[in-house]
């Protein structure tokens, strides 16, 4: 799981607090119940005394006395449960009640992380990704090819928009399937509104559900963070800056819509180059043509992208416009 040390410590603190809260609530229930059923206190005192005797005899090697002590402890526990039941309480009313009974609020079952721990991590990663809501609507399960035409031919590649999308889908699935074993980057480019961001969201959901850290930023937001971290040293920007370089997948959406200048070009190069050196995957979507990428962002950046990224071109009619037209019919 892609957790920093501070994030892991934060989770462990949450589990520790849960255990403390459980014990506090159990103690309050006990204080309340012995006022209503004082016999419970006497039974607990007897159980405690017998438990000490059991431990002493075990140390002395008295195996014969052990079975009778266990039997007496069981009888006292049964009496206690009966008293609770008579008072209208469940038999386990004075037991510790866990948020997760499987791991007893430790986060682990043996040496293996509990399902509740894994879910908590996924929830955190979704929150950090900036994609929590949109991924419910945009994912591989909701992806449809009905908006891609087999007769719309891209003059640059000679492929139809349908064929281009089919190729892109296969590549995106492969990207997800090999993510843990193979370092790869993706560039999705082409016409406006043909599914580049949608495919980014599909990949993001699959990886987040596998507990990989995914961070999504529009290009404008990304460069805004770089500027704040460089010129203003804002605490929130510093945290975002750390995530940008350390997350498993960084998604930069709509590259080319930001105000481009020497600062943005230099920061983009540093970001892409550093993530390549760290073997951290990056996904870029843009409406720009490859030639425009080279002209706007320099030969160095273009070289990094063409040599280290799988480049996928999407074409066709704007799907958002198609949907609006369909809704009018």
């Amino acid at each position: 799981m892609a957790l920093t040390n501070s994030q892991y410590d934060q989770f462990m603190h949450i589990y520790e607090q849960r255990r403390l809260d459980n014990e506090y609530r159990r103690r309050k229930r006990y204080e309340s119940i012995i006022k209503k059923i004082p016999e419970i206190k006497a039974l607990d005192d007897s159980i405690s005394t017998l438990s000490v005797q059991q431990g002493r005899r075990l140390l002395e090697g008295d195996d014969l006395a052990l079975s009778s002590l266990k039997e007496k402890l069981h009888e006292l526990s049964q009496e206690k449960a009966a008293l609770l039941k008579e008072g209208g309480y469940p038999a386990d009313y004075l037991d510790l009640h866990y948020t997760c009974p499987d791991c007893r609020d430790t986060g682990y079952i043996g040496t293996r992380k509990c399902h509740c721990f894994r879910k908590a991590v996924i929830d955190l990663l979704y929150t950090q990704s900036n994609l929590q809501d949109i991924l419910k609507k945009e994912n591989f399960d909701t992806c449809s090819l009905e908006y891609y035409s087999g007769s719309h031919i891209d003059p640059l590649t000679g492929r139809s928009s349908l064929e281009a999308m089919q190729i892109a889908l296969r590549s995106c699935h492969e990207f997800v399937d090999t993510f843990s074993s193979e370092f790869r980057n993706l560039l999705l480019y082409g016409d406006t509104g043909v599914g580049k961001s949608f495919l980014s969201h599909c990949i993001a959901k699959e990886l987040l559900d596998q507990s990989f850290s995914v961070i999504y930023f529009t290009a404008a937001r990304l460069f805004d963070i770089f500027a704040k971290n460089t010129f203003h040293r804002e605490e929130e920007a510093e945290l975002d800056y750390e995530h940008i370089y350390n997350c498993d997948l960084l998604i930069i959406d709509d590259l080319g819509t930001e105000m481009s200048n020497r600062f943005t070009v230099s920061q983009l190069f540093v970001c892409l180059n550093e993530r390549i050196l760290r073997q951290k995957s990056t996904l870029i979507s843009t409406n720009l043509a490859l030639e425009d990428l080279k002209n706007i962002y320099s030969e160095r950046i273009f070289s990094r992208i063409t040599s280290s990224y799988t480049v996928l071109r999407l074409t066709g009619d704007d799907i958002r416009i198609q949907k609006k037209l369909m809704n009018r019919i």
Side-chain angles (χ1 to χ4, degrees), residues 237-250:
E238 287 183 19
L239 184 59
D240 287 335
Y241 192 79
E242 178 185 341
H243 291 327
I244 286 166
Y245 284 99
N246 293 320
C247 64
D248 295 318
L249 176 64
L250 172 66

Side-chain angles (χ1 to χ4, degrees), residues 19 38 45 49 64-65 68 111 133 135 144 156 163 176 185 195 224-225 249-250 260 264 275 278 289:
R19 295 193 297 273
D45 290 342
T49 301
L64 294 177
S68 62
T111 59
D133 294 326
L135 298 189
S144 173
L156 187 63
E163 185 181 3
V176 169
N185 303 291
D224 181 56
I225 291 169
L249 176 64
L250 172 66
S260 180
T264 58
R275 287 188 61 80
R278 297 187 187 193

